[in-house]
Amino acid sequence: SQELEQSPQSLIVQEGKNLTINCTSSKTLYGLYWYKQKYGEGLIFLMMLQKGGEEKSHEKITAKLDEKKQQSSLHITASQPSHAGIYLCGADARGGKLIFGQGTELSVKP
Amino acid sequence: GAGVSQSPSNKVTEKGKDVELRCDPISGHTALYWYRQRLGQGLEFLIYFQGNSAPDKSGLPSDRFSAERTGESVSTLTIQRTQQEDSAVYLCASSPWGATDTQYFGPGTRLTVL
């Protein structure tokens, strides 16, 4: 079965700093989703990547899917306290359901 | 427009009791999913409904777990004879067509089994 590994598991950065979160799959990715979760809340959809080499940006968040489609990275530029939360990568495991990484908890110090 | 809603937001129950969790998907979405998130862990897939097709129940952890969906609307996840290990946040998601569509998540129901 396919597994997703996220790194790091947790991250503390100073406001204004850049950061990167990685998501590595044990199998080829056919659809890779990035979600953000605030404590006690549901998941907020950020971006979806499907094609090898694809890159998408929204505000200060950029996500990339590598050419081999087995790894994705999420990069935040000039982090702000509003970026704090748990970032989850999810993969289309075929048949509609998603499998998820264990999450990366981001804290941004003002 | 309205997103996915779930109720209750919190549920505390005693071991051995049955619980029902409700999910109202985004109107018009044909696919509905249930996931479970244990403390400090990622999400685990439980069950997937797609239109009138037979649901994919491959993620249900035991026969104490069941789910129903009325047409393409409300879904209910039922846990019978709850155990302490059932304590988790139960998240519901819906998508327009299923398969490779983006899934939109509700706020979750936090279940605590004492």
Side-chain angles (χ1 to χ4, degrees):
Chain A
S1 61
Q2 187 173 16
E3 292 183 351
L4 296 179
E5 184 76 25
Q6 284 185 238
S7 63
Q9 291 190 6
S10 64
L11 192 55
I12 303 173
V13 298
Q14 200 69 39
E15 182 176 359
K17 296 293 186 184
N18 304 335
L19 64 106
T20 300
I21 298 169
N22 293 303
C23 176
T24 302
S25 173
S26 58
K27 295 184 180 181
T28 300
L29 292 160
Y30 292 99
L32 189 286
Y33 301 79
W34 283 100
Y35 288 89
K36 179 184 174 185
Q37 184 178 33
K38 292 224 168 192
Y39 181 78
E41 299 179 16
L43 278 67
I44 301 166
F45 170 73
L46 296 176
M47 275 171 274
M48 175 191 170
L49 303 165
Q50 285 186 302
K51 300 176 184 176
E54 186 174 8
E55 178 175 324
K56 287 186 178 178
S57 293
H58 177 67
E59 297 180 345
K60 294 184 178 180
I61 301 176
T62 300
K64 300 178 185 179
L65 183 61
D66 74 349
E67 290 289 345
K68 293 184 179 179
K69 294 173 65 174
Q70 282 200 258
Q71 186 169 45
S72 177
S73 60
L74 185 82
H75 185 77
I76 299 177
T77 305
S79 58
Q80 300 170 358
S82 61
H83 287 128
I86 299 171
Y87 289 81
L88 289 151
C89 63
D92 177 7
R94 295 310 210 188
K97 59 194 175 191
L98 294 179
I99 59 166
F100 287 87
Q102 78 277 29
T104 295
E105 185 170 7
L106 171 64
S107 300
V108 180
K109 287 186 173 180
Chain B
V4 177
S5 61
Q6 291 185 244
S7 61
S9 56
N10 277 287
K11 176 73 177 177
V12 180
T13 190
E14 292 180 349
K15 178 181 173 181
K17 300 286 188 183
D18 297 351
V19 295
E20 281 191 356
L21 312 180
R22 178 187 168 110
C23 172
D24 284 87
I26 293 172
S27 178
H29 281 194
T30 64
L32 186 147
Y33 311 78
W34 284 98
Y35 293 87
R36 175 171 72 175
Q37 185 178 31
R38 287 172 162 157
L39 185 65
Q41 299 185 22
L43 278 74
E44 304 169 67
F45 166 78
L46 296 177
I47 188 169
Y48 161 43
F49 295 90
Q50 172 60 61
N52 295 320
S53 302
D56 176 354
K57 303 180 181 180
S58 60
L60 294 178
S62 77
D63 59 8
R64 296 186 295 105
F65 287 72
S66 62
E68 292 183 348
R69 188 180 186 192
T70 307
E72 292 188 351
S73 60
V74 172
S75 176
T76 303
L77 177 70
T78 301
I79 308 173
Q80 294 178 310
R81 304 181 304 280
T82 52
Q83 303 294 313
Q84 288 183 334
E85 62 263 27
D86 299 334
S87 296
V89 175
Y90 289 83
L91 288 155
C92 174
S94 71
S95 67
W97 299 106
T100 58
D101 264 350
T102 299
Q103 297 180 22
Y104 296 91
F105 283 78
T109 294
R110 181 174 297 279
L111 174 66
T112 303
V113 182
L114 301 176

